[in-house]
Amino acid sequence: MATAAKDAAIAELADNFRNSDAAVLTEYRGLTVAQITDLRNSIREHATYSVVKNTLTARAAAEAGVTAFDGQLQGPSAIAFVTGDPVETAKKLRDFAKANPLLVIKGGVLDGKAMSAEEINKLADLESRETLLAKLAGGFQASLSQAVYLFAAPLSQSSRAIEALRAKVETEGPVSDAAPAAEEATADVAEGGDEA
């Protein structure tokens, strides 16, 4: 490969590292072209899958500041550069590796943090971003419903107390002004009796 072509390949790989949210290093020894094509198609929505040369990839990773693949670039290597959902990509890679044991997930990098193959499998066990957001929205909705109930409870208790008082007045009758008038008359008589 000519030097200009190597430099262009290194620049392209370095850009892929910089522009992706995550990258997963795999070894594809023994996979057919058709199988690799199937893998590319399965992750296309969230990532691009590129067969890479190890020495050029090592130089591109160093240029991009990625150290996660140091010492792992051996054998036939390919990298999934993730620009979409890393969880979905990890799931697709894991599932493909289960169906095609010749694909070996070696490691990766997510938001600048190196990840082992085990960590990538744990990432694949997470629920998708959309599912997590839906659960979060459901939690917020439940919290809001509880808040509405808590704010409405004192009002409904007050209205029930007022309604109970109104029902009591209707059944027992209103408090009459006759009782205070009778007391005043008794008081007047008592006062007048003292004068006599």
Side-chain angles (χ1 to χ4, degrees), residues 98-153:
K98 282 182 181 177
N100 301 281
L102 295 175
L103 180 73
V104 177
I105 298 173
K106 294 173 131 183
V109 61
L110 175 64
D111 293 330
K113 180 189 174 289
M115 298 182 73
S116 66
E118 294 79 28
E119 290 172 319
I120 292 170
N121 283 327
K122 286 180 185 176
L123 182 67
D125 290 336
L126 292 175
E127 293 177 336
S128 71
R129 181 177 186 271
E130 289 78 19
T131 303
L132 292 174
L133 287 174
K135 285 185 176 185
L136 182 65
F140 282 143
Q141 183 177 6
S143 296
L144 289 175
S145 296
Q146 289 174 348
V148 166
Y149 173 77
L150 289 175
F151 290 131

Side-chain angles (χ1 to χ4, degrees), residues 40-54:
R40 280 186 175 130
N41 290 335
S42 72
I43 65 172
R44 179 163 290 156
E45 184 179 347
H46 301 287
T48 57
Y49 190 71
S50 303
V51 173
V52 296
K53 292 190 176 283
N54 294 334

Side-chain angles (χ1 to χ4, degrees), residues 165-176:
L165 184 59
R166 189 183 63 76
K168 182 179 177 183
V169 167
E170 285 179 1
T171 57
E172 295 178 4
V175 176
S176 66

